Amino acid sequence: MRAYDKLYINGQWIASGGTGTMSVTDSATEEVIATIPEGTAADVDKAVAAARAAFPAWSATSKEERAGFLMKIQAGLDARTDEIASTIAKEVGMPLFLSNLIQGGLPKANFAIAAQLLGSYEFEKQEGNALIVREAIGVVGCITPWNYPLHQIALKVAPALAAGNTVVIKPSEVAPINAFILAEVIH
């Protein structure tokens, strides 16, 4: 059984402001396979403040730098594909064969695709006598469902980071372990 006792905020693992924990169960056996901190409103405030503070520097990075970071995330997920597939198979009740293809494959592809699109994406484009400028907007909050959990996270996080935004994720309490794995990869 895994016991996660910290949240990933501001590039570091910190204790939750709360004292509660939540149990994560294997969907097939109903066995507890992990515990996670029960986050608090103060934890969310810390995460948003950290993301807001990181936004100016992150949004100022070049699209090439952002693409490089996205590819590092993709490589980190690739190295842990089997673990991700096994974890999500237990969390959501998917056969391991399908989980390897879908749950392990799609998230890393999302990061790679976002990185690839940065190569040709025009953040500034002249249209007639107008200059169209697409800019990062700030902190993006991502609340994700239990089904396709890491894929849903990657579908939100990869393009947000590619565009120069910072992100706060609230994963499903039913299938949260994969989000911890992503945080470990990013760390």
Side-chain angles (χ1 to χ4, degrees), residues 14 17 34 42 62 65 78 99 120 124 127 132 138 142 148 160 170 179:
I14 65 166
S62 70
E65 288 176 279
D78 190 45
S99 190
S120 61
E124 291 188 13
E127 288 284 337
I132 299 170
C142 299
Y148 297 93
K170 188 280 181 199

Side-chain angles (χ1 to χ4, degrees), residues 21-179:
T21 61
M22 299 175 75
S23 295
V24 182
T25 58
D26 182 314
S27 60
T29 66
E30 296 185 358
E31 171 191 358
V32 174
I33 57 173
T35 57
I36 61 169
E38 188 176 70
T40 66
D43 294 330
V44 174
D45 291 344
K46 283 182 193 174
V48 171
R52 187 175 295 129
F55 174 71
W58 178 251
S59 63
T61 60
S62 70
K63 63 182 188 176
E64 294 80 16
E65 288 176 279
R66 292 195 299 268
F69 282 110
L70 293 171
M71 289 307 298
K72 286 180 182 178
I73 295 170
Q74 183 274 335
L77 292 174
D78 190 45
R80 295 179 73 175
T81 297
D82 291 342
E83 176 189 5
I84 291 166
S86 173
T87 297
I88 296 175
K90 289 178 182 178
E91 287 178 319
V92 304
M94 178 176 273
L96 188 55
F97 168 74
L98 288 175
S99 190
N100 264 310
L101 293 173
I102 297 168
Q103 306 290 6
L106 292 176
K108 61 187 176 188
N110 292 326
F111 282 96
I113 290 166
Q116 180 184 23
L117 289 173
L118 278 172
S120 61
Y121 190 80
E122 296 181 35
F123 283 91
E124 291 188 13
K125 184 177 181 182
Q126 190 72 41
E127 288 284 337
N129 64 354
L131 178 64
I132 299 170
V133 179
R134 294 177 174 95
E135 340 180 88
I137 58 168
V139 178
V140 175
C142 299
I143 300 173
T144 58
W146 68 271
N147 60 335
Y148 297 93
L150 188 55
H151 177 54
Q152 293 294 326
I153 290 171
L155 278 175
K156 297 169 188 280
V157 172
L161 292 176
N165 299 297
T166 53
V167 180
V168 175
I169 301 169
K170 188 280 181 199
S172 166
E173 66 281 0
V174 174
I177 302 169
N178 60 87

